[in-house]
Amino acid sequence: MLLYIGRRLATTIRKRLFGGIISQDIVFFDGNSSGQLTSRLTNDVSFMVSPIQSMLGTLISNSILLVGGFGLCFYTSWRLSVLAFSTVGPIIHVTQVYAQWSQWLNRRLVCGFVSVVLYWLRGVCIVWRVLYNISVWFFNNYSSSMR
């Protein structure tokens, strides 16, 4: 079934790509060889469809495992399953609140770090200006004494 879906998807993409190639001007065909265009129709579409096929297969198999797991949980003990699944909502809520707090804290830390780095760089620039002015002063005094 997955192979059929993948082949249909590849066929649809190839048809659209072929239609786009055919509608090009003559200049396009002068710049591209027929081998390049054929390679694009076959290889590039295959490379594009293969991850979709594998992800689709993974999605379907994981969905079957999830439904089967829920079924086995309820078959084993429906009371324990209801208790366990009723805690999922609050856990998700607490996780979202923690993620928002963590993001806020991270932004504050990064902003503080950036301000410290900028303050340090400002100090480095001041030191370099002082050193430059001292060196200019020594150069001017040395060159005037050499005359």
Side-chain angles (χ1 to χ4, degrees):
M1 181 174 139
L2 293 176
L3 291 175
Y4 175 74
I5 293 171
R7 278 187 261 155
R8 292 260 329 229
L9 182 63
T11 303
T12 304
I13 292 172
R14 281 190 185 112
K15 284 181 181 179
R16 287 186 179 181
L17 183 61
F18 182 72
I21 289 173
I22 293 298
S23 66
Q24 297 294 321
D25 292 332
I26 298 296
V27 177
F28 175 78
F29 294 105
D30 290 340
N32 295 311
S33 67
S34 61
Q36 287 175 336
L37 297 176
T38 305
S39 173
R40 292 235 171 149
L41 278 172
T42 56
N43 296 335
D44 291 353
V45 172
S46 296
F47 289 140
M48 188 174 74
V49 170
S50 64
I52 295 171
Q53 281 180 320
S54 65
M55 286 177 24
L56 187 62
T58 304
L59 176 71
I60 290 174
S61 66
N62 286 341
S63 299
I64 291 171
L65 285 173
L66 182 67
V67 169
F70 278 138
L72 283 175
C73 285
F74 278 104
Y75 177 74
T76 303
S77 172
W78 68 270
R79 291 178 186 147
L80 185 59
S81 299
V82 168
L83 177 67
F85 295 137
S86 66
T87 61
V88 171
I91 289 172
I92 290 174
H93 176 70
V94 168
T95 304
Q96 287 176 342
V97 169
Y98 174 75
Q100 289 172 351
W101 174 78
S102 176
Q103 184 180 20
W104 172 80
L105 183 64
N106 189 27
R107 285 185 181 162
R108 287 196 61 202
L109 289 173
V110 168
C111 288
F113 178 72
V114 168
S115 65
V116 167
V117 168
L118 290 176
Y119 182 75
W120 179 78
L121 286 175
R122 191 177 324 133
V124 169
C125 289
I126 291 171
V127 169
W128 276 106
R129 282 187 200 147
V130 169
L131 290 175
Y132 175 74
N133 290 335
I134 291 172
S135 65
V136 167
W137 182 80
F138 274 117
F139 179 74
N140 290 338
N141 287 340
Y142 179 73
S143 35
S144 65
S145 67
M146 292 299 286
R147 293 182 198 165

